[in-house]
Amino acid sequence: MMRIAINGMGRIGRLLFRRLIDNKDLELVAVNDIMDTDNLAYLLKYDSVYGTFAGTITRKPGAIVANGKEIKAFQQEKPAALPWKDLKVDVVLECSGNFSSRAAAEQHLKAGARKVLLSTTGSADIPLLVYGFNQHALTKEETIISPGGCMTNCSTHILYILNAIGIKSVQCNILHSYTSRQELVDAPHKQFRRGRAAAEAIIPVEIDLQHSLERLLPALKDKIASVSTRVPVANGAMADFTIQLQQETSRQEINRLFSTAAENDYKGIIEYTEDQLVSLDIKGNTHSCVIDGSLTTVVGNHVKLIAWFDNEYGFTTRMIDWLSLM
């Protein structure tokens, strides 16, 4: 059984803990975060988005006990000092966001882990592999893997499928729940808008999504622009794509393209619906994106496409997929 450790117990790390604790094929053996372990146990048990943990979580010295399973808990700032070798850790899920360069992530390897799976897009020298798109490019020799982020996992499949028709340009706006990198009340920030109160305003923020998409889809280089608009909800996202195609199309053709993909090659990755969803309906959805065919519009060769995704649950599903593949 593959032995897993999690470094960084923020939103993604804690959700992965919940989802891995009873996994029969993957054994969670340790977590590391600089927060107080009593506080960590509390946050694992009580979650404002996904509710109270269905099982039991208790605290003992140096460990979290969940559903009777003892998980080692460390508070080490330097990954190289963690006992991954002694614990025979196969894969570290690097979820802190602080060790996304190759040199930084390699600290886990020096500590004795066999491989590292990031929870974000890493530096340019780390392979960017999106599950359902290019996971076949993974080699046994690669020790550090970036699975992209939730926005990349939503967007890549959509643009790849549409580029079968031919894309001239893409404008992408990800309407996204607020995140821990924003502020609860107005505060200084190098991106001024990120410093505004997240629960009180609709806030456009700068993102680097287009750079990730250009790495994955080089044929679209210099054809993509992106922005994220943070909205006052705690979970869920709606991706709004405005796409100029090489030729005229129709609403029916676009919807048929994605409904077919969802039923066949992209089953489990893309979902297609014409139900009248709102963001709350997507909570707990395991797909990378849910195409909302009821909102597809076409004028000549201009397409407006809307896709929903749970920015936490969908993405952690892909990370678990990666573990299964590895």
Side-chain angles (χ1 to χ4, degrees):
M1 185 179 292
M2 182 180 283
R3 294 171 65 83
I4 308 298
I6 304 174
N7 186 59
M9 296 300 288
R11 294 294 307 154
I12 296 299
R14 295 198 298 273
L15 185 55
L16 282 166
F17 182 104
R18 283 187 169 207
R19 301 192 64 191
L20 289 172
I21 196 63
D22 291 323
N23 191 297
K24 296 179 180 179
D25 300 315
L26 304 166
E27 183 181 6
L28 180 63
V29 297
V31 298
N32 180 57
D33 195 285
I34 59 174
M35 83 168 86
D36 179 82
T37 309
D38 286 330
N39 198 170
L40 173 56
Y42 171 80
L43 290 173
L44 286 168
K45 185 173 183 179
Y46 300 105
D47 189 284
S48 298
V49 172
Y50 297 106
T52 303
F53 183 67
T56 60
I57 290 185
T58 57
R59 165 83 167 91
K60 64 182 294 186
I64 302 287
V65 182
N67 292 346
K69 298 178 182 178
E70 183 175 312
I71 311 302
K72 298 289 185 184
F74 303 101
Q75 292 177 278
Q76 176 57 250
E77 292 186 10
K78 297 180 180 180
L82 287 161
W84 298 154
K85 183 177 180 179
D86 294 339
L87 292 173
K88 299 179 180 178
V89 170
D90 292 305
V91 181
V92 174
L93 304 179
E94 173 45 60
C95 301
S96 71
N98 296 323
F99 303 96
S100 57
S101 70
R102 179 170 289 276
E106 281 178 344
Q107 292 187 54
H108 292 295
L109 303 178
K110 293 175 181 177
R114 292 177 56 217
K115 295 181 185 291
V116 180
L117 178 63
L118 305 181
S119 67
T120 186
T121 301
S123 54
D125 57 351
I126 297 175
L128 178 55
L129 302 172
V130 170
Y131 195 89
F133 174 69
N134 65 341
Q135 74 274 13
H136 57 276
L138 176 65
T139 65
K140 292 182 179 179
E141 291 73 29
E142 186 52 62
T143 54
I144 303 173
I145 303 162
S146 165
C150 60
M151 291 185 283
T152 306
N153 275 261
C154 170
S155 305
T156 301
H157 312 295
I158 291 171
L159 298 187
Y160 179 73
I161 289 170
L162 284 177
N163 203 35
I165 299 174
I167 293 175
K168 284 187 176 182
S169 65
V170 180
Q171 293 278 351
C172 180
N173 182 10
I174 309 288
L175 288 84
H176 196 290
S177 53
Y178 52 73
T179 73
S180 60
R181 291 197 296 166
Q182 293 175 254
E183 301 291 341
L184 184 62
V185 296
D186 289 357
H189 197 288
K190 63 181 181 180
Q191 293 183 25
F192 291 174
R193 287 188 176 113
R194 278 189 186 264
R196 301 297 300 278
E200 296 295 328
I202 297 170
I203 303 175
V205 300
E206 299 172 20
I207 56 173
D208 61 357
L209 175 62
Q210 65 268 29
H211 301 303
S212 298
L213 293 173
E214 287 177 353
R215 286 178 63 186
L216 292 160
L217 302 164
L220 297 182
K221 183 173 175 57
D222 299 324
K223 296 181 180 180
I224 306 171
S226 63
V227 67
S228 179
T229 303
R230 302 297 164 86
V231 293
V233 297
N235 176 255
M238 188 186 88
D240 181 340
F241 296 91
T242 302
I243 303 158
Q244 185 181 24
L245 296 175
Q246 297 283 1
Q247 62 189 54
E248 291 192 0
T249 185
S250 67
R251 179 177 184 269
Q252 291 76 16
E253 181 183 6
I254 296 299
N255 282 349
R256 184 168 57 251
L257 196 64
F258 284 98
S259 62
T260 300
E263 293 172 0
N264 295 282
D265 293 347
Y266 289 85
K267 190 176 182 63
I269 304 296
I270 293 176
E271 184 178 2
Y272 177 85
T273 185
E274 294 187 11
D275 292 346
Q276 297 189 28
L277 302 181
V278 297
S279 63
L280 187 63
D281 301 323
I282 220 72
K283 184 168 68 174
N285 191 290
T286 60
H287 294 83
S288 295
C289 58
V290 179
I291 305 298
D292 193 330
S294 71
L295 296 175
T296 302
T297 57
V298 175
V299 178
N301 66 337
H302 285 80
V303 174
K304 171 76 76 175
L305 190 75
I306 301 297
W308 303 94
F309 61 99
D310 183 324
N311 47 292
E312 296 175 359
Y313 212 90
F315 182 66
T316 55
T317 301
R318 297 291 81 77
M319 290 188 71
I320 294 170
D321 285 342
W322 273 114
L323 290 175
S324 299
L325 179 66
M326 292 164 69

